Amino acid sequence: MPQSQSPSSQSPNSNSSTTQNAGAPTSAQDFSERAFISKAMEGGMAEVQLGQLAQQKSQSNDVKQFAAKMVNDHGQMGDKWLKPVAKQMGINEPSGPSKKDKKEMEKLQGLSGQEFDREYITMMVKDHQKDLKDFQSEAQAAQDPTVKEIADKGSQVIQQHLQIIEQIAKAHNVDVGGKEMSSTR
């Protein structure tokens, strides 16, 4: 059975739509796809930096292992999937995480011990829930086959992360069922 998802046959890796997409967006769809790639790169950078912080500050082995997975997986997603397509589309690499993500990092830097773990777990559950919706939505809406493929693969990775962090939240008695944590000030 022939593979229908062959990147070489469906991806705009050569000059097909890449040439016309390099530079300014040409349509609302193109703008949306470019915004998705840029936001995904920003979010990935944040996941890596938050993971590095958690590896240093967490006192729980399961949280440290999850944090190491975030550094590895989101680093690879950025380097292998997002950065190459961003370059093809003429999208500049973000200089770092978003202002919101930087604020979350600052908040975590001021915490330690169990308080750090609870806040990190809560952030990771909420971030992965939101990211999963964004990636699934983009996988449905994207017209560019490469963007569609990245969103689909990314949603699978994020789904796996969400399942893991939800199990960790349960093990640490962190209630993240859609309500704000009592630890928020």
Side-chain angles (χ1 to χ4, degrees):
M1 180 173 193
Q3 289 187 334
S4 61
Q5 292 185 343
S6 171
S8 59
S9 66
Q10 290 187 350
S11 297
N13 288 341
S14 52
N15 290 331
S16 59
S17 64
T18 306
T19 306
Q20 71 186 37
N21 288 347
T26 56
S27 68
Q29 180 70 34
D30 186 33
F31 182 82
S32 172
E33 290 173 359
R34 293 166 59 86
F36 168 78
I37 294 294
S38 184
K39 188 175 170 190
M41 284 193 298
E42 255 184 8
M45 286 179 181
E47 295 290 356
V48 168
Q49 290 179 14
L50 287 166
Q52 290 167 337
L53 182 63
Q55 287 177 301
Q56 294 167 13
K57 295 196 77 151
S58 177
Q59 294 179 342
S60 301
N61 284 334
D62 55 353
V63 173
K64 284 184 177 190
Q65 288 172 355
F66 178 80
K69 186 167 185 55
M70 294 304 93
V71 171
N72 183 56
D73 291 359
H74 285 279
Q76 284 187 7
M77 283 173 67
D79 292 342
K80 292 183 179 177
W81 302 350
L82 295 168
K83 289 177 186 177
V85 94
K87 189 174 182 181
Q88 285 177 354
M89 295 175 86
I91 301 169
N92 291 331
E93 206 175 303
S95 58
S98 69
K99 287 180 185 177
K100 177 185 173 276
D101 290 332
K102 286 178 185 174
K103 274 182 87 171
E104 286 184 345
M105 277 184 246
E106 287 172 17
K107 182 178 184 178
L108 282 174
Q109 285 172 336
L111 301 175
S112 60
Q114 226 179 5
E115 203 178 359
F116 174 90
D117 287 348
R118 290 181 70 82
E119 192 62 34
Y120 177 74
I121 291 166
T122 301
M123 282 182 187
M124 289 298 98
V125 170
K126 290 180 180 180
D127 286 351
H128 282 82
Q129 286 171 339
K130 183 186 179 313
D131 292 347
L132 182 59
K133 286 179 187 171
D134 292 347
F135 272 72
Q136 287 174 333
S137 175
E138 191 65 30
Q140 291 294 314
Q143 307 247 325
D144 184 307
T146 305
V147 174
K148 190 181 258 321
E149 183 179 0
I150 287 170
D152 186 49
K153 283 185 187 172
S155 67
Q156 292 171 29
V157 171
I158 292 165
Q159 176 71 52
Q160 180 192 48
H161 293 170
L162 181 58
Q163 289 171 347
I164 295 167
I165 197 63
E166 285 175 339
Q167 290 172 351
I168 292 171
K170 197 173 192 177
H172 286 259
N173 295 316
V174 176
D175 180 18
V176 288
K179 293 188 167 61
E180 287 296 315
M181 288 295 301
S182 59
S183 67
T184 53
R185 297 182 181 114

